[in-house]
């Protein structure tokens, strides 16, 4: 078992490295661009040339990637902090420390000064959404799956298909049209700043609702499928035949066994939420991580894009790791083999 | 289930959906018939999924919606609508729905109905074509991985895992922001992001079929590996693949919409639904119709594909 966990861990770390190399390759594919984008469009050509040689942009991609990793883990000094470049880049943490993500050319500060606050805002949004999606999906999925083919089942399933067909930006537009334009109950933007007259909690309602609407249907479908399968098993029939009330059959025998398969799906929702927040944060101008990635990509802020993607990948791979291990622990068939 | 399931080499981790593949593969776990069911299917040959489609109410509603948009898209040049980029500034005094402009005009005074119909033509060309390309790449990879196993499988699967470990929208944003938005680049991005998911499904299906008698028979006849993979194995995987294809087209429509909404969509000025929604949001507090109508168009078209996929899944479960 421990051996399997270690093997899984190593393979996920390798996946992570390969994925971050891919991002590095895409963003830094043309070296001339890297220097130009770091310095901005108005920098003199000499500075660009100096940075080009300073960063060793002539070297092949894998070497540059290794160097980037070196700066990241604190084994190498960040070349961008060299005063000779005229970047005026000052990092109070020094030029060599663990998790040195470099310098954001968009915000003109060290990446570490922007990224964690944004990540915290997104964690709040995604955490609230996750906290609503899971119980809602479990209840709906169990209700639908306990009597397959019933009216309730068909209703919940159709509801699930409809909500998963509405992308976040569309449901955002619908909700804004109803609750902001028509009823005037809620604010249309969520800058997380009480100055505009709307308390912070009211600014969270619509973004959270958008995420919940889009993701819940999918989890409901998974829970329903698993529940329906369990309810067709012989031990359920036995429990019913021995006279146990249907309610007890569902709660004691059905639910407990039906929760194993959806466990992974539920954890992997965290990954979908990372995707979902990009759009949701754009709809509501929410100062979060997803919007930051989009703005950084559009601006060409290479260091920030690489840092943010790496963090998103770590979250994604870590949840995958937890869900694989958890699945193995929950499922006796795998645990014992 | 009448016959005991045939043992397969599916290692347990394959059944665990990974993050990004899971959404378009929503029906995967439900749609994939067990090997025993497929074997029974091969002997009795009941009418194919597609031919039984009319018995599914949901699927027919979905087909109706898709046909509605397809007919509008095909007949767009002959419909009595404005050219999509024609600006009618006079109507901008009252941009809301009117007799001259049924769905109103957008921020540049262009007829929204015309732009939605021309946009349908665009999205209905790009999305299915992109999904098809993802299949053209994913199917051979999945077949190779499933049929040969061993090193080939390890290489294909590990490479796929790398792509599938990405939060998918972030991958799209980085790719398109770097290589620039164009129809070709968006299709390339869809193939890169979605191909590994296809490969994973095809690989799983191939592993289920790999040890069945008909494959052994073909090997005894000394058929080429190419023949066995594409003529014997692939057609026998078609049920779940058709369902997955429908879901994938729907998801690709969403993706194109999201890219448009994020400002990375098909290049203007030609109409693109996601871009229309985005342009409208600047006026949403005064004129919500500018965003609402294109958003409704996207939702209905995606719903159409998802309903067909759901109907197909239900039908394949009945077998």
């Amino acid at each position: 078992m421990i051996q399997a966990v270690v093997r899984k861990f190593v393979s996920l770390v390798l996946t992570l490295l390969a994925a971050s190399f891919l991002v590095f390759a895409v963003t830094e594919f043309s070296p001339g661009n890297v220097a130009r984008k770091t310095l901005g469009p108005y920098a003199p050509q000499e500075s660009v040339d100096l940075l080009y040689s300073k960063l060793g942009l002539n070297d092949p991609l894998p070497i540059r990637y290794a160097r980037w990793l070196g700066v990241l883990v604190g084994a190498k000094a960040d070349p961008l902090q060299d005063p000779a470049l005229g970047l005026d880049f000052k990092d109070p943490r020094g030029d060599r420390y663990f998790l040195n993500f470099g310098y954001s050319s968009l915000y003109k500060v060290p990446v570490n000064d922007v990224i964690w606050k944004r990540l915290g805002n997104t964690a709040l949004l995604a955490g609230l959404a996750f906290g609503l999606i899971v119980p809602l999906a479990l209840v709906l999925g169990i209700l639908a799956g306990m009597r397959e083919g019933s009216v309730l089942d068909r209703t919940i399933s159709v509801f699930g298909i409809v909500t998963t067909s509405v992308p976040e930006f569309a449901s955002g537009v619908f909700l804004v049209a109803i609750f902001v334009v028509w009823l005037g109950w809620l604010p249309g933007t969520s800058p997380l700043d009480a100055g505009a007259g709307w308390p912070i909690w009211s600014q969270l309602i619509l973004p959270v609702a958008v995420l919940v609407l889009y993701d819940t249907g999918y989890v409901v479908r998974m829970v329903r499928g698993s529940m329906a399968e369990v309810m067709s098993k012989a031990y359920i029939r036995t429990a019913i035949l021995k006279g146990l009330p249907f309610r007890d059959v569902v709660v004691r025998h059905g639910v407990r066994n039906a929760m194993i398969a959806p466990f992974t799906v539920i954890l992997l929702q965290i990954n979908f939420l990372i995707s979902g927040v990009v759009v949701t944060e754009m709809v509501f101008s929410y100062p979060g991580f997803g919007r930051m990635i989009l703005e950084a990509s559009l601006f060409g802020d290479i260091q920030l894009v690489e840092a943010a993607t790496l963090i998103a990948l770590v979250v994604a791979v870590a949840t995958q790791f937890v869900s694989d291990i958890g699945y193995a622990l929950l499922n006796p068939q795998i645990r014992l083999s | 289930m009448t016959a005991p399931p045939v043992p397969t080499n599916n290692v347990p981790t394959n059944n665990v959906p990974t993050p990004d593949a899971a959404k378009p593969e929503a029906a995967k776990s439900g749609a994939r018939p067990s090997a025993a069911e497929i074997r029974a299917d091969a002997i009795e040959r009941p009418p194919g999924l597609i031919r039984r489609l009319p018995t599914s109410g949901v699927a027919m509603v979905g087909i109706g919606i898709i046909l509605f948009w397809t007919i509008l898209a095909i007949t767009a040049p002959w419909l009595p609508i404005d050219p999509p980029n024609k600006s009618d500034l006079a109507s901008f005094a009252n941009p809301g729905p009117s007799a001259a402009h049924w769905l109103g005009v957008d921020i540049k005074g262009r007829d929204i109905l015309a732009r939605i119909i021309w946009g349908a033509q665009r999205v209905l060309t790009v999305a299915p074509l992109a999904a098809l390309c993802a299949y053209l790449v994913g199917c051979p990879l999945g077949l190779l991985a499933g049929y040969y196993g061993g090193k080939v499988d390890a290489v294909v699967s590990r490479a796929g895992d790398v792509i599938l470990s990405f939060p998918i929208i972030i991958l799209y944003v980085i790719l398109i922001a770097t290589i620039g938005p164009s129809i070709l680049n968006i299709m390339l991005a869809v193939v890169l992001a979605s191909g590994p998911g296809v490969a994973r499904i095809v690989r799983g299906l191939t592993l289920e079929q790999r040890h069945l008698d008909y494959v052994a028979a073909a090997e005894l006849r000394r058929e080429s590996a190419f023949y066995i993979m594409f003529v014997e194995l692939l057609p026998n995987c078609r049920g779940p693949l058709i369902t997955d294809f429908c879901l994938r087209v729907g998801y690709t429509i969403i993706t194109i919409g999201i890219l448009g909404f994020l400002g990375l969509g098909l290049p203007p000025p030609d109409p693109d639904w996601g871009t229309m929604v985005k342009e409208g949001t600047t006026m949403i507090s005064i004129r919500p119709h500018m965003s609402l109508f294109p958003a409704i168009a996207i939702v209905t078209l995606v719903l159409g594909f998802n309903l067909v996929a759901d109907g197909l899944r239900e039908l394949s479960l009945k077998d």
Side-chain angles (χ1 to χ4, degrees):
Chain A
M1 181 70 201
I2 290 172
Q3 207 184 352
V5 171
V6 171
R7 208 182 309 134
K8 188 90 216 164
F9 183 77
V10 170
S11 96
L12 284 177
V13 168
L14 289 178
T15 307
L16 185 64
L17 280 176
S20 78
F21 178 72
L22 185 69
V23 173
F24 190 86
V26 169
T27 50
E28 304 214 356
F29 185 70
S30 57
N33 261 334
V34 177
R36 176 49 76 188
K37 280 183 174 165
T38 310
L39 293 170
Y42 306 114
Q45 189 59 41
E46 302 90 74
S47 323
V48 175
D49 293 342
L50 180 64
L51 185 63
Y52 190 90
S53 61
K54 187 87 195 161
L55 292 179
L57 291 173
N58 251 341
D59 296 334
L61 261 179
I63 294 180
R64 280 154 54 201
Y65 177 69
R67 217 179 280 142
W68 178 75
L69 276 184
V71 173
L72 177 68
V73 297
K76 258 181 72 60
D78 185 356
L80 288 176
Q81 289 199 25
D82 192 330
L85 291 172
L87 267 176
D88 195 23
F89 164 31
K90 293 186 198 71
D91 191 338
R93 302 170 192 82
D95 63 355
R96 191 184 295 207
Y97 59 94
F98 184 63
L99 285 187
N100 183 357
F101 284 119
Y103 180 70
S104 158
S105 56
L106 171 61
Y107 296 98
K108 309 283 180 216
V109 288
V111 167
N112 275 309
D113 287 353
V114 234
I115 211 162
W116 301 109
K117 190 172 162 29
R118 295 294 195 109
L119 195 63
N121 288 342
T122 292
L124 173 70
L125 182 62
L128 284 172
F130 191 69
L132 284 171
I133 290 169
V134 172
L136 195 65
L138 287 181
V139 169
L140 289 176
I142 290 167
L143 284 176
M146 69 184 189
R147 284 205 183 87
E148 208 184 349
S150 66
V151 177
L152 188 63
D153 177 25
R154 289 310 302 165
T155 316
I156 292 175
S157 296
V158 168
F159 169 80
I161 296 175
V162 172
T163 54
T164 43
S165 305
V166 185
E168 286 105 343
F169 66 89
S171 58
V173 164
F174 296 151
L175 292 179
V176 167
I178 297 171
F179 291 100
V180 179
V181 180
W182 185 37
L183 297 170
W185 288 353
L186 292 167
T189 54
S190 313
L192 292 190
D193 168 7
W198 294 96
I200 305 258
W201 63 265
S202 71
Q203 298 175 9
L204 286 167
I205 295 179
L206 287 183
V208 169
V210 165
L211 289 173
V212 171
L213 270 180
Y214 185 60
D215 271 358
T216 306
Y218 177 71
V219 188
V220 167
R221 185 183 288 191
M222 293 297 133
V223 176
R224 175 199 169 273
S226 174
M227 187 71 191
E229 197 190 323
V230 166
M231 291 304 281
S232 68
K233 291 273 164 68
Y235 60 81
I236 295 289
R237 196 181 52 201
T238 311
I240 293 173
L241 287 179
K242 79 180 180 195
L244 210 59
F246 187 67
R247 205 190 135 82
D248 291 355
V249 176
V250 169
V251 174
R252 276 202 230 155
H253 297 271
V255 172
R256 194 182 288 181
N257 288 295
M259 283 311 103
I260 297 172
F263 172 78
T264 42
V265 179
I266 288 171
L267 264 183
L268 294 175
Q269 285 311 300
I270 295 175
N271 209 349
F272 291 142
L273 283 172
I274 303 176
S275 271
V277 289
V278 180
V279 181
T280 312
E281 290 177 356
M282 280 313 283
V283 176
F284 296 100
S285 315
Y286 187 92
F289 187 76
R291 203 177 117 213
M292 183 192 72
I293 289 187
L294 178 70
E295 283 168 353
S297 307
L298 291 176
F299 184 82
D301 187 342
I302 294 171
Q303 305 255 319
L304 186 55
V305 169
E306 284 164 358
T309 330
L310 184 67
I311 291 175
L313 280 167
V314 167
V315 174
V317 169
T319 43
Q320 199 184 330
F321 180 67
V322 172
S323 82
D324 283 0
I325 302 295
Y327 186 76
L329 288 176
L330 279 176
N331 191 342
Q333 282 170 346
I334 295 178
R335 189 173 61 216
L336 298 178
S337 65
Chain B
M1 288 237 214
T2 45
V6 176
T8 62
N9 303 351
N10 243 346
V11 276
T13 45
N14 297 326
N15 298 328
V16 180
T18 21
D20 305 295
K23 203 133 219 168
E25 289 162 28
K28 187 174 100 180
S29 56
R32 183 197 290 174
S34 77
E37 286 170 310
I38 290 171
R39 188 158 61 174
D41 180 90
I43 297 165
E44 290 161 23
R45 288 208 179 276
L49 269 186
I50 301 288
R51 229 171 300 157
R52 279 176 299 150
L53 207 54
T55 60
S56 163
V58 241
M60 290 321 282
V61 174
I63 287 182
I65 297 173
I66 297 172
L67 273 182
F68 169 78
W69 284 114
T70 313
I71 291 170
L72 277 185
I74 293 174
T75 57
W78 299 282
L79 290 177
I81 49 174
D82 283 356
N85 296 329
K86 188 185 129 197
S87 188
D88 179 4
L89 289 177
S91 68
F92 201 67
N94 180 19
S98 64
H101 303 283
W102 289 1
L103 300 183
V105 294
D106 70 1
I107 41 167
K108 292 188 178 136
R110 298 171 297 195
D111 185 65
I112 290 179
L113 178 65
R115 286 181 72 74
I116 285 182
I117 292 175
W118 284 97
Q121 195 179 60
R122 214 167 181 195
V123 76
L124 276 171
T125 321
V126 177
L129 207 60
L132 194 68
C133 291
Y135 262 78
L136 288 180
V137 172
C139 280
L141 287 176
L143 283 169
L144 284 173
Y147 184 69
Y148 285 110
K151 286 215 176 82
V152 181
D153 182 20
V155 170
V156 171
S157 297
R158 289 297 87 76
D161 285 347
V162 171
I163 301 287
L164 294 171
S165 68
F166 274 92
I168 204 78
I169 295 300
I170 292 179
L171 183 60
Y172 277 114
V173 164
I174 293 173
L175 274 175
I176 301 293
T178 309
I179 60 180
S182 73
I183 291 184
L184 186 69
N185 286 353
I186 286 176
M187 299 216 328
L188 274 177
V190 170
V191 170
L192 181 73
S194 178
V198 177
R200 176 176 290 190
I201 297 179
V202 174
R203 172 186 174 275
L205 293 167
T206 310
L207 279 179
E208 281 177 3
Q209 307 258 317
R210 175 74 185 82
H211 300 282
L212 296 187
D213 292 344
Y214 77 91
V215 180
E219 278 168 350
L220 272 179
R221 296 200 305 272
R222 303 254 175 133
E223 302 286 6
S224 68
F226 179 87
Y227 178 91
I228 293 175
M229 283 190 275
F230 287 93
V231 184
E232 299 278 354
L233 283 167
L234 192 58
N236 277 298
C237 302
R238 67 187 180 281
L241 290 185
I242 296 171
T243 311
D244 177 74
F245 184 76
C246 283
L247 284 173
R248 222 166 265 280
V249 173
Y251 195 70
T252 307
I253 296 170
I254 292 187
T255 304
I256 295 173
I258 288 177
L259 287 174
F261 183 79
L262 297 180
L264 297 166
L266 307 173
D270 288 338
D272 168 50
W273 288 356
T275 313
M276 291 172 71
V277 176
K278 178 193 161 224
E279 287 173 352
T281 52
T282 54
M283 295 279 281
I284 195 163
S285 51
I286 324 161
R287 298 287 177 192
H289 75 273
M290 292 178 185
S291 289
L292 275 179
F293 290 130
I296 290 171
I298 293 177
V299 171
T300 53
L301 187 55
V302 174
L303 184 64
F305 282 100
N306 283 354
L307 286 175
V308 174
D310 193 64
L312 284 168
R313 200 171 49 94
E314 295 274 295
L315 284 179
S316 64
L317 282 181
K318 273 186 202 157
D319 290 342

